[in-house]
Amino acid sequence: METGQSYLMIALRVLGALGLLIYGMKMMSEALQKMAGPQLRHILAKMTTNRFTGMLTGTFVTCAVQSSSATTVMTVSFVSAGLLTLGQAISVIMGANIGTTLTAWIMSLGYSVDLTNVVFPAFIVGMFLIYKGRYRYVGDFLFGIAFLFFSLVMLSSAGKDLDLEHNETVIQFFASFDTNSHLTILAFLGIGTFITCVIQSSAAVMAITILLCSTGVLPIYLGIALVMGENIGTTATANLAALGAGTQARRAALAHLLFNVFGVIWVLAVFYPFVNMVCHLVGYNPAEGGQTERLPVVLAMFHTCFNVTNTAILIGLVPQIERVVCWLLPGKEEVQQDEFRLKYIQANLVQTPEISVLQAQRETARYAEKVHQMFGKVQLLFSEDDSKQFADRFAQVEREEDFSDRMELEIARFLEHVGDDHLSNDTKQKIRQMMREVGELESISDACYNLARILQRREQSGKKFTNQQAYDIKEMMDLCDHALRQMCVVMHGHRNEHDISDSYRIEKDINNMRDRLKNANIEAVNDHQYDYSVGTLFGDLIGELEKLGDYVVNVVEARFGK
């Protein structure tokens, strides 16, 4: 009974250590992503000019954030947002697989070296930095890595207390498997895949494998089979994240799965020679056994050799992989009924606030384009003479005003959700700017709808503008169209690439024209050149166009942080 209780307590320690490991990895990864923030986005977006730089980018980013899942989900998000092509994403994902091998080496170090002396100072320094506030993310990172190392110390201690190397039942259980049979290797590969899919942490599976191998009860061949399964299971995260995303994002996630499955297939074909070669590299002889202290290093070395070799084989076949995933996931025609539905924001792809900010920026820029298109319909409405065509065009503007209201609410709700997280001051500022941008864009759509209603009043009254009035209105509409076009350019680019003075100059031209036309309209009405009702309609149109110009400048100022 005492032995049973002892094993139960040790099992609880192992489970607790694994939970701490997963939490530490998550905390460390998120802290690094928040520290790297905008730079991380720019690296992924810019350093993917070809498949080799894309691979190196994926490796670098994954080494930095210590999570291939984070890099892969980020990459899938960027494909969904249109920042990366499918080919670029595939090369980044290949690099992410290489970058994740650093985690295996860290964990093997944790089993080979007593890290207790590092853990507690890291907790103390981390706590001090968190309370300082300014260096909170550095403190979070230190806490994360301290939790990671502390969990490895706990696992190593629990492994020694289990004393599995002297437990005949466990030894006989693992000895009952024929390590020279491919069926056994496939069975353990399936177990590794299943466990990783369930707990969504390849690091935890690696820790379990190292624990069992380091005690000497799990043969190295079976341990490596578990590691291979972990490589397939870790692709589940990105595929789950991409389920509700666009076709390109799902293709990127599928490419990740195919990449790892292909690697497992060719390793299985040369399994024993390949594993023996890896063992030879670290000076371990699998035939003799013993030397259990070398087994964590063997597992880390296999993980590295497997991913590096697999990438070396497939890096030249990125276009072919792209064609295969496009064939497996053919594109579907976009439904155009709801033009203002969100395209770049998918809640299930939100991994960190930095990715969320990027998605919101892309969606807001698209919102600006849609508002510009809405104004184009108002210009067509102004030129329409046929009553039936006028009614159809007015219905389009009315429908798009409703879409615009919904789009503003959805983007604002998304930004509010992102704002609930712990954010850097820079990210908080960006969110405030975007909230202001979407509010002003909605005001532009309101102005477009008001212009359409004024034109509808003119249509219903049967009144006509004079040739001079029509010319003046068209000229002012062209100025507003120019302002909207300039606004869209600013929304799509980086702030340092544009000059706000262009928008100010256009607004000044609109204001001057409004003043000139307003005075001319009063004089024309007084001189009885046209009746008062036509003058009122003309004045209302000019006034609403000037308001639209003001809203455009407000959007540009928000984009520039003014």
Side-chain angles (χ1 to χ4, degrees):
M1 183 69 178
E2 290 182 4
T3 304
Q5 286 181 339
S6 175
Y7 277 127
L8 176 63
M9 290 305 298
I10 294 171
L12 289 175
R13 281 169 57 194
V14 170
L15 290 174
L18 287 174
L20 195 61
L21 172 74
I22 295 170
Y23 178 73
M25 289 288 293
K26 181 175 183 291
M27 192 174 185
M28 184 175 64
S29 174
E30 289 183 353
L32 280 165
Q33 289 177 67
K34 287 172 183 176
M35 283 192 288
Q39 290 76 19
L40 202 60
R41 296 201 308 270
H42 296 155
I43 288 169
L44 271 177
K46 298 291 185 184
M47 291 179 61
T48 51
T49 51
N50 59 59
R51 68 190 72 168
F52 296 103
T53 58
M55 180 199 69
L56 292 173
T57 301
T59 303
F60 168 76
V61 171
T62 306
C63 286
V65 302
Q66 276 303 291
S67 173
S68 61
S69 294
T71 305
T72 306
V73 172
M74 203 182 301
T75 304
V76 169
S77 299
F78 281 18
V79 172
S80 179
L83 285 180
L84 292 179
T85 65
L86 180 58
Q88 288 172 327
I90 292 170
S91 63
V92 171
I93 288 168
M94 287 180 177
N97 276 41
I98 296 176
T100 196
T101 60
L102 180 62
T103 306
W105 284 105
I106 291 173
M107 298 182 74
S108 69
L109 174 70
Y111 276 87
S112 306
V113 180
D114 185 5
L115 297 169
T116 309
N117 295 330
V118 178
V119 169
F120 296 108
F123 276 127
I124 294 169
V125 176
M127 182 177 63
F128 176 75
L129 292 175
I130 289 172
Y131 276 101
K132 283 285 288 182
R134 183 179 175 185
Y135 302 102
R136 185 177 70 226
Y137 300 130
V138 179
D140 286 343
F141 168 73
L142 285 175
F143 255 71
I145 201 166
F147 279 135
L148 169 63
F149 285 154
F150 189 49
S151 67
L152 294 176
V153 171
M154 290 173 62
L155 283 171
S156 179
S157 172
K160 291 173 183 175
D161 291 343
L162 279 171
D163 196 27
L164 293 178
E165 60 266 34
H166 297 113
N167 188 313
E168 288 299 323
T169 304
V170 176
I171 292 172
Q172 288 176 9
F173 172 75
F174 284 110
S176 66
F177 293 100
D178 182 6
T179 57
N180 294 315
S181 167
H182 272 84
L183 286 176
T184 303
I185 302 302
L186 284 171
F188 273 78
L189 187 150
I191 292 169
T193 303
F194 175 75
I195 295 174
T196 308
C197 287
V198 169
I199 65 178
Q200 288 289 291
S201 174
S202 57
V205 179
M206 177 64 80
I208 295 169
T209 307
I210 292 176
L211 172 65
L212 292 173
C213 285
S214 63
T215 58
V217 297
L218 182 66
I220 190 61
Y221 292 117
L222 302 186
I224 284 176
L226 287 175
V227 172
M228 290 165 62
E230 165 251 309
N231 271 274
I232 296 177
T234 195
T235 64
T237 305
N239 278 280
L240 286 172
L243 280 178
T247 304
Q248 286 293 85
R250 286 186 283 117
R251 285 170 177 170
L254 178 61
H256 187 206
L257 173 63
L258 293 180
F259 172 77
N260 283 6
V261 168
F262 174 83
V264 166
I265 290 172
W266 72 255
V267 167
L268 284 173
V270 292
F271 183 75
Y272 294 102
F274 189 80
V275 173
N276 292 336
M277 181 270 293
V278 171
C279 291
H280 178 71
L281 287 176
V282 297
Y284 176 77
N285 189 340
E288 294 179 0
Q291 297 180 299
T292 54
E293 70 279 356
R294 289 184 179 271
L295 291 178
V297 180
V298 173
L299 291 171
M301 180 61 77
F302 171 81
H303 200 244
T304 303
C305 291
F306 166 75
N307 283 298
V308 170
T309 307
N310 198 32
T311 300
I313 293 170
L314 292 178
I315 191 67
L317 301 176
V318 170
Q320 287 74 18
I321 296 173
E322 190 173 354
R323 282 200 289 271
V324 169
V325 295
C326 289
W327 176 71
L328 291 172
L329 284 176
K332 296 179 181 178
E333 291 188 8
E334 297 262 338
V335 179
Q336 297 295 328
Q337 295 176 356
D338 192 347
E339 296 178 33
F340 269 64
R341 67 186 175 84
L342 299 186
K343 178 180 179 181
Y344 298 117
I345 289 175
Q346 281 105 19
N348 61 320
L349 285 181
V350 175
Q351 181 73 5
T352 66
E354 295 303 334
I355 297 175
S356 305
V357 167
L358 176 71
Q359 291 174 322
Q361 283 177 340
R362 297 284 291 179
E363 200 68 67
T364 305
R366 176 172 173 264
Y367 188 11
E369 286 182 353
K370 292 295 184 182
V371 168
H372 185 199
Q373 292 170 11
M374 185 178 178
F375 182 74
K377 289 183 172 62
V378 173
Q379 288 178 290
L380 292 174
L381 191 67
F382 171 70
S383 305
E384 189 60 66
D385 292 327
D386 183 85
S387 296
K388 185 177 183 307
Q389 288 289 335
F390 184 94
D392 290 343
R393 290 195 188 281
F394 181 82
Q396 288 178 7
V397 174
E398 200 169 34
R399 186 168 62 251
E400 289 191 10
E401 160 62 9
D402 178 56
F403 290 155
S404 174
D405 289 342
R406 287 165 47 201
M407 194 167 188
E408 181 207 12
L409 286 174
E410 289 178 20
I411 296 175
R413 191 179 296 122
F414 179 80
L415 289 170
E416 285 177 354
H417 173 72
V418 176
D420 290 337
D421 207 339
H422 296 295
L423 306 172
S424 65
N425 290 332
D426 182 51
T427 303
K428 287 178 183 176
Q429 180 63 23
K430 286 178 181 173
I431 289 176
R432 283 195 293 268
Q433 289 174 9
M434 278 188 284
M435 291 286 276
R436 184 180 164 201
E437 286 168 16
V438 295
E440 296 294 346
L441 286 169
E442 202 279 329
S443 295
I444 295 174
S445 73
D446 284 345
C448 290
Y449 182 53
N450 289 338
L451 289 168
R453 291 174 63 190
I454 294 168
L455 292 172
Q456 186 187 48
R457 278 165 43 207
R458 184 212 64 179
E459 177 73 14
Q460 291 172 346
S461 68
K463 303 288 184 180
K464 296 291 182 182
F465 290 124
T466 66
N467 291 339
Q468 184 60 45
Q469 283 179 313
Y471 176 83
D472 291 337
I473 292 170
K474 185 179 183 307
E475 189 177 1
M476 195 159 183
M477 281 187 168
D478 288 343
L479 270 177
C480 289
D481 184 70
H482 187 195
L484 285 163
R485 194 178 304 112
Q486 178 64 23
M487 177 191 75
C488 290
V489 170
V490 170
M491 293 293 287
H492 277 285
H494 295 292
R495 286 180 294 182
N496 56 0
E497 296 174 354
H498 302 289
D499 188 353
I500 196 172
S501 61
D502 292 335
S503 295
Y504 283 150
R505 178 180 49 77
I506 300 170
E507 186 207 18
K508 185 178 179 181
D509 290 343
I510 292 173
N511 289 341
N512 290 339
M513 190 170 188
R514 185 272 317 268
D515 293 339
R516 177 171 60 82
L517 294 180
K518 183 179 178 182
N519 292 331
N521 184 48
I522 294 172
E523 290 178 6
V525 171
N526 290 336
D527 292 342
H528 304 291
Q529 295 178 21
Y530 42 78
D531 63 36
Y532 181 80
S533 60
V534 173
T536 301
L537 290 169
F538 179 79
D540 289 346
L541 273 176
I542 297 303
E544 200 63 45
L545 286 168
E546 191 276 330
K547 286 182 185 177
L548 187 148
D550 288 342
Y551 298 141
V552 169
V553 169
N554 291 343
V555 173
V556 175
E557 285 183 337
R559 180 77 176 112
F560 276 91
K562 293 184 180 293

